[in-house]
Amino acid sequence: MHPAASFELIVAMFLAVLGLHYVARRLALPPAAALIVGGGALAFMPGLPGIEIDPELVLVLFLPPLLMDGAWFTAFAPFRRHMAGILSLAVGAVFFTTAVVAIVTRLLVPALPWAACVALGAILSPPDAVSARAVLQHVRLPRRLTTLLEGESLLNDAAGLVLFRFAVAAVLTGSFSLGAATGSFFLLVLGGIAVGAAIGGLWVLLLRRLDDDTSRIAATVLVCWSAYIAGELLHVSGVIAVVTAGLTCGWYQHVVFSASVRIRALAFWQVLVFLLEAAVFMLIGLSLRGVLDRVGGAGVILETMAAPVLLIVAAVIGARFLWIFGNDAMLAGLRRAGVARARPLGPRAALVMSWAGMRGVVTLAVALSLPETMPARDLMLVTAFVTILVTVLVQGTSLGWMIRAARPEEDRAALPPLDLHAAETTMFRAQFEAVRRAAYDAEGRLIHPMLLRRYETRATAADRFEGTDEERSQAIARHFDVIIAAVTAGRAELVRLHRAGRIDDETLHDLEHDLDLEELAAVSAKG
């Protein structure tokens, strides 16, 4: 395909993304499901050339920024507090699922070597960070479950990729050492942490020396790819390097970013992540045609592969249920035995966690990277693709219903000491103290009476308010509704003055920017 035609196809794909995203929102469906179906439909349009996906390019292009986005906004304290549960899912569940899939595959295809069965298990075992983010954005979960799912999606790819590489090497060389594999795994993880921490530290130092916002935003965008590529070049886990760098940057961004950088960087980053996530799911759909062509068409799949593929997919889903419910039963037993730190999820939360195991781009990219000489390569490709379709289209679309039906309870012990209202009140009092100290000159004369009155009102409003939390929320909403209405009226008047030729473009843009900041603050405070 000519490069210009390739670019035109990419633009057309993103235009299709906008339409599919709109349709998904109108139908109350997860956008990921609509994008996969839309990509699959586009793949069979007459005249459209086949889409060839380079698996290495997919991993290095899409995985780092999407992992970075998850790590950047991860709350570090809950992440650290629930580290045991996260590692149980990200490492334990991945290893267990790999073993279950390997055993089931061996029973279904006895001629397949054990190493090849393990390779298939490693391909299918890690739930995908992109799929998890795409679904979690549209559902509401208790904080503990959200932390566990987000933490799992950040770390499990490393375990799955390491298992896959060792299994493929065992198939190609005919030898495997458990001790060497275990030592290499910990070396890859520790090396990834070191590389990610170093990249994150360099980012902090760099941002303190750059003197313009554009350079700071550009440096921030490049961190994810820098960490991933550095990790892979040093033969450690690029995934862990990105996650570590993202956690470091997310921790320090509050002290190295100015308000203007934060607003502009967040807006740019949100658009970038939206396009990358959409492109990932579209590519999954578009790759359907290539997978069918490789194996000889849908008829061949239905005749020779349907039964083993569906049984393996069932094993993937069932293994997650077994691990999560088994682990929860063990925690419940420890709790009854007097171990206070053992806090089981409970059956309702465990059900939701078990159902939230969507696969995505990593599964597809790793499957496509299988060597041509791999035994049963076509079966592995079809199984990977069907697993993605079933988990995203079935589990992803029904997860919201599952949460509403199960109604998992919030773990009150995991909540922070201050709620949003209490933290906001504490912040307002600190602001008032700062204004009060600066409101008087050296002779004790009040020089900023309006500022002092404004911040005093904000700091004491909570003490004067009488009513329930719901009544307070309604009063706050009404207050900021008036501010938003005032901003809307001001913006309309600015436009009227500009259209009448009474103010120039520069004045319009400057005053409109002030109104935008005021509206953002009001919308944020109201929400």
Side-chain angles (χ1 to χ4, degrees):
M1 184 186 297
H2 191 275
S6 299
F7 178 73
E8 291 167 0
L9 182 61
I10 292 172
V11 173
M13 183 184 72
F14 282 123
L15 291 175
V17 162
L18 297 178
L20 291 168
H21 198 270
Y22 172 77
V23 171
R25 291 183 67 86
R26 291 298 300 268
L27 298 178
L29 294 173
L35 292 170
I36 289 179
V37 173
L42 289 175
F44 292 95
M45 286 184 60
L48 187 70
I51 305 298
E52 291 293 333
I53 299 177
D54 185 332
E56 292 297 328
L57 179 61
V58 168
L59 288 178
V60 75
L61 179 61
F62 293 104
L63 193 57
L66 297 174
L67 285 173
M68 181 77 171
D69 186 59
W72 183 282
F73 294 104
T74 294
F76 189 73
F79 183 82
R80 183 177 57 189
R81 183 166 59 249
H82 297 299
M83 181 57 72
I86 291 171
L87 290 177
S88 171
L89 292 168
V91 179
V94 167
F95 282 33
F96 179 73
T97 303
T98 299
V100 170
V101 171
I103 293 170
V104 171
T105 304
R106 177 75 175 190
L107 292 174
L108 294 171
V109 190
L112 198 61
W114 272 110
C117 298
V118 172
L120 178 59
I123 292 171
L124 304 178
S125 58
D128 187 58
V130 184
S131 299
R133 275 182 43 79
V135 173
L136 288 176
Q137 287 174 350
H138 300 87
V139 298
R140 185 173 184 83
L141 283 172
R143 297 188 186 190
R144 183 184 179 189
L145 298 193
T146 300
T147 300
L148 290 173
L149 286 172
E150 289 179 345
E152 176 195 16
S153 69
L154 290 175
L155 301 180
N156 60 11
D157 288 335
L161 288 171
V162 170
L163 274 177
F164 172 76
R165 288 169 181 170
F166 280 116
V168 170
V171 172
L172 298 179
T173 63
S175 62
F176 177 76
S177 170
L178 180 61
T182 303
S184 298
F185 175 75
F186 284 106
L187 182 63
L188 290 170
V189 171
L190 294 175
I193 293 173
V195 170
I199 295 293
L202 290 174
W203 175 82
V204 173
L205 295 175
L206 179 62
L207 255 67
R208 284 174 171 165
R209 285 162 174 77
L210 293 175
D211 56 1
D212 67 287
D213 291 357
T214 303
S215 298
R216 293 189 181 102
I217 295 172
T220 302
V221 172
L222 294 174
V223 166
C224 58
W225 286 294
S226 301
Y228 186 86
I229 293 172
E232 293 298 311
L233 287 176
L234 294 173
H235 303 291
V236 297
S237 174
V239 171
I240 297 297
V242 174
V243 172
T244 305
L247 290 171
T248 303
C249 296
W251 180 264
Y252 283 100
Q253 57 102 0
H254 304 289
V255 296
V256 297
F257 273 175
S258 64
S260 62
V261 171
R262 190 160 23 252
I263 291 174
R264 295 169 63 190
L266 180 60
F268 175 80
W269 190 254
Q270 285 175 333
V271 174
L272 177 65
V273 168
F274 168 76
L275 292 176
L276 290 174
E277 282 185 349
V280 163
F281 290 113
M282 286 291 288
L283 287 174
I284 291 174
L286 289 169
S287 65
L288 173 61
R289 179 175 166 184
V291 171
L292 291 178
D293 290 342
R294 281 190 182 93
V295 300
V300 173
I301 294 175
L302 292 175
E303 291 175 9
T304 63
M305 302 183 188
V309 166
L310 292 178
L311 289 172
I312 293 171
V313 173
V316 171
I317 297 173
R320 184 173 178 86
F321 274 82
L322 286 174
W323 178 265
I324 291 177
F325 274 92
N327 192 60
D328 209 53
M330 181 189 69
L331 290 175
L334 292 174
R335 185 79 173 184
R336 288 192 295 270
V339 181
R341 296 189 63 180
R343 292 191 294 114
L345 294 170
R348 290 185 290 177
L351 178 63
V352 172
M353 287 287 294
S354 301
W355 196 244
M358 292 69 65
R359 271 62 176 180
V361 62
V362 173
T363 293
L364 179 65
V366 174
L368 291 173
S369 70
L370 284 165
E372 294 291 340
T373 56
M374 175 66 70
R377 183 176 187 270
D378 290 346
L379 174 66
M380 294 184 183
L381 275 175
V382 173
T383 305
F385 200 89
V386 173
T387 302
I388 295 170
L389 290 181
V390 170
T391 55
V392 173
L393 298 182
V394 177
Q395 291 180 280
T397 55
S398 60
L399 182 59
W401 173 85
M402 178 72 73
I403 293 170
R404 289 189 294 272
R407 291 182 296 176
E409 296 181 353
E410 183 71 73
D411 184 2
R412 296 296 171 184
L415 294 178
L418 297 179
D419 61 12
L420 175 64
H421 174 66
E424 188 178 52
T425 301
T426 303
M427 179 189 71
F428 286 159
R429 286 170 179 164
Q431 289 179 316
F432 171 61
E433 286 301 315
V435 172
R436 186 179 60 80
R437 290 192 297 269
Y440 299 88
D441 62 12
E443 286 75 32
R445 292 175 298 183
L446 183 61
I447 55 176
H448 297 301
M450 295 180 66
L451 276 176
L452 185 64
R453 189 160 55 249
R454 173 187 173 191
Y455 279 91
E456 184 179 14
T457 299
R458 293 173 65 181
T460 58
D463 297 331
R464 297 197 307 269
F465 186 85
E466 296 180 358
T468 64
D469 289 341
E470 183 177 355
E471 290 170 339
R472 179 189 293 111
S473 298
Q474 292 174 352
I476 291 172
R478 289 193 297 269
H479 172 84
F480 287 106
D481 280 339
V482 175
I483 294 177
I484 293 170
V487 169
T488 302
R491 187 181 291 112
E493 180 64 11
L494 279 179
V495 173
R496 188 189 69 80
L497 293 173
H498 180 261
R499 300 296 185 264
R502 299 179 63 183
I503 60 174
D504 58 15
D505 287 354
E506 185 176 356
T507 301
L508 171 66
H509 293 155
D510 287 346
L511 294 179
E512 188 178 44
H513 179 67
D514 293 342
L515 289 175
D516 287 343
L517 293 177
E518 186 176 357
E519 181 177 351
L520 287 174
V523 170
S524 175
K526 178 184 174 182

